[in-house]
Amino acid sequence: MPNEALFQQALSFFIQRAGRTPTVAAFAPGRVEVLGNHTDYNEGFVLSAAIDRGTFFLAAPRTDGRCRLSDAVHPDLQSEFPAANPSPIKNQESWTNYVRGVWALLAPPERATGFDGVIAGDIPLGAGLSSSAALEISAAIAFRDIFGLKTDPLELARIGQAAEHRYAGVKCGLLDQVTSLFGQLDHLVETDFRSLNVRRPPFPANARLIVCNTGVKHQLVESAYNERRTHCEEAAAWFRARLPHPVSALRDVSMAEWEQWAAQMPPILAKRSAHVIGENERVVKGVQFLREGRLDRFGRLMFESHASSRYNFQNSCPALDFLVERAQRLPGVLGARLSGGGFGGSVVVLAETPRAESIATALRRSAEMEFGRTLDPLILRPSEGARPFPLPLRSK
Ligand code: GLA
């Protein structure tokens, strides 16, 4: 359930700032990646879940060509920009880039005369839980509803992604936006990023996800992420030039083919492609294990996924490795791995329900001793996806 108190805070803040009530409101959740790392932009497979933390976006149209945005949780953050073609900015107002991008891409130019907007979110920033996608998607739903558009969810996801590419400079795939939009209570989101076919297998009734934010924010996440993407594209091109069948992305290369050719590849491309090809195969196996209720086998794939991130893709960091190793020794832990882009952010643990609390406590204690800072693990089941949020009648 979205945080009702946070919504009320956003509503009061909107009325105070804009001197009127919002006409639309939306909520979009963050996400956790359960299996399938850096496979989305390689046209591969991912299992993910929406979480019960996210972002509210409240808005009302303006007619003076101005967009005014503020944050109910951080009232000092406020920004005003033009409604006509707002450009990305690099100063202290860069937090508005996602919203600028979504507005520029979604609002019909002849009707784009501005808005008052308030955001309020409870996803820890830099935790790898997609606070940026939650912001893009909540804004996209609010703007869609302001203009009464019929834009379908996949198109909204693409608009969020384009905002990220063009306004924030991160060449992300579609995972975060698709998960935020297609999340379903107690179900995983299983996406084929070639066909963009989304299925939602049930999440096991006897398990919990524990999300542990290391608090480590990598300085160069954007450039490291983009560099990994380039390596994957180079590896796909390398295979394309050698394999007898078409290769448009690493999705088209099997592990058997990788084994046959790896020794001849530039070593860095061999490692990067081993990760992506292995991850795709792990997701396919993982879906089967889930169907058969073999959670221990599913969990083992999560550990393998982390090891591959650590050694092949090199997108882990000591704090993530520490938490995964610590989790691996705790009774009731089925699997653990880093979640999302990497280089910091969160670990996701798959745990047996009766032991989830004690596992979270043990991880919190170990992290305090090891990192000297408090860590607040979240115990979750998958949540509902993004949606318009009902405004109280009197505020309309
Ligand atoms: C980030 C990106 C996603 C995806 C993951 C890694 O979350 O935004 O598109 O590539 O990293 O799987």
Side-chain angles (χ1 to χ4, degrees):
M1 277 299 288
N3 183 337
E4 184 68 36
L6 187 60
F7 174 73
Q8 289 303 334
Q9 184 183 339
L11 186 58
S12 320
F13 190 79
F14 189 102
I15 294 166
Q16 179 203 325
R17 278 286 156 100
R20 59 188 175 136
T21 52
T23 57
V24 295
F27 173 78
R31 65 97 192 90
V32 60
E33 176 196 284
V34 181
L35 200 57
N37 184 248
H38 284 257
T39 47
D40 61 346
Y41 57 80
N42 289 296
E43 300 183 18
F45 308 103
V46 188
L47 277 170
S48 56
I51 63 174
D52 66 353
R53 303 266 185 128
T55 301
F56 289 102
F57 196 102
L58 282 57
R62 292 178 68 92
T63 51
D64 61 353
R66 306 299 298 166
C67 300
R68 285 195 184 159
L69 186 64
S70 46
D71 183 338
V73 179
H74 304 99
D76 47 318
L77 292 183
Q78 35 181 319
S79 172
E80 189 171 328
F81 55 88
N85 303 315
S87 46
I89 48 169
K90 287 219 158 82
N91 62 21
Q92 70 279 13
E93 289 182 20
S94 60
W95 63 277
T96 63
N97 276 335
Y98 304 108
V99 178
R100 288 167 178 253
V102 169
W103 172 262
L105 294 160
L106 189 65
E110 66 291 354
R111 291 159 66 201
T113 53
F115 68 87
D116 282 317
V118 162
I119 63 170
D122 59 1
I123 305 175
L125 299 182
L129 299 174
S130 294
S131 56
S132 55
L135 178 54
E136 293 148 19
I137 299 302
S138 60
I141 293 177
F143 297 152
R144 178 195 67 185
D145 292 351
I146 280 187
F147 295 110
L149 305 173
K150 297 268 174 281
T151 325
D152 71 35
L154 275 178
E155 189 50 28
L156 292 180
R158 285 202 187 88
I159 286 171
Q161 181 195 34
E164 197 108 24
H165 284 209
R166 295 190 217 162
Y167 282 71
V170 183
K171 302 277 178 217
C172 64
L174 270 171
L175 168 68
D176 309 343
Q177 295 79 7
V178 162
T179 313
S180 181
L181 279 153
F182 288 87
Q184 185 181 338
L185 189 65
D186 290 337
H187 288 70
L188 292 170
V189 178
E190 175 197 342
T191 313
D192 174 339
F193 282 94
R194 171 162 285 168
S195 64
L196 290 179
N197 185 34
V198 176
R199 290 199 294 186
R200 285 173 281 203
F203 184 74
N206 51 349
R208 291 285 181 276
L209 295 169
I210 304 176
V211 176
C212 238
N213 176 14
T214 57
V216 175
K217 292 185 202 168
H218 193 278
Q219 292 293 309
L220 299 168
V221 181
E222 288 87 1
S223 56
Y225 182 95
N226 292 347
E227 185 202 60
R228 292 303 183 281
R229 185 167 181 155
T230 304
H231 287 162
C232 291
E233 285 160 4
E234 288 171 6
W238 195 91
F239 280 112
R240 190 177 309 130
R242 287 161 183 86
L243 295 185
H245 58 78
V247 174
S248 66
L250 283 179
R251 149 79 171 267
D252 300 310
V253 183
S254 69
M255 201 40 112
E257 288 167 330
W258 182 89
E259 278 161 10
Q260 192 187 335
W261 288 93
Q264 298 170 51
M265 284 185 94
I268 194 90
L269 299 189
K271 281 177 155 207
R272 303 302 187 246
S273 53
H275 180 64
V276 172
I277 297 166
E279 285 295 277
N280 276 333
E281 296 195 354
R282 279 186 278 279
V283 175
V284 173
K285 281 189 209 156
V287 168
Q288 185 63 29
F289 289 149
L290 275 183
R291 208 174 291 140
E292 296 163 359
R294 293 156 83 189
L295 282 197
D296 53 335
R297 300 291 297 273
F298 184 91
R300 242 178 279 158
L301 294 173
M302 293 175 74
F303 287 124
E304 285 173 21
S305 165
H306 186 79
S308 174
S309 270
R310 183 172 179 176
Y311 299 108
N312 291 328
F313 216 62
Q314 295 173 298
N315 64 333
S316 187
C317 69
L320 288 166
D321 297 337
F322 171 82
L323 285 175
V324 170
E325 274 166 14
R326 183 73 192 95
Q328 195 152 16
R329 295 203 300 272
L330 296 171
V333 167
L334 297 157
R337 63 189 284 278
L338 68 79
S339 172
F343 312 105
S346 293
V347 155
V348 56
V349 176
L350 181 69
E352 292 168 0
T353 304
R355 288 185 153 133
E357 286 289 348
S358 62
I359 293 167
T361 307
L363 290 176
R364 182 184 297 121
R365 287 210 187 108
S366 315
E368 271 166 17
M369 275 168 20
E370 179 77 10
F371 314 144
R373 60 173 177 272
T374 313
L375 187 135
D376 204 8
L378 307 171
I379 302 179
L380 306 167
R381 287 184 57 77
S383 283
E384 207 59 52
R387 57 205 176 273
F389 200 79
L391 286 161
L393 281 180
R394 63 186 156 72
S395 85
K396 282 212 166 147

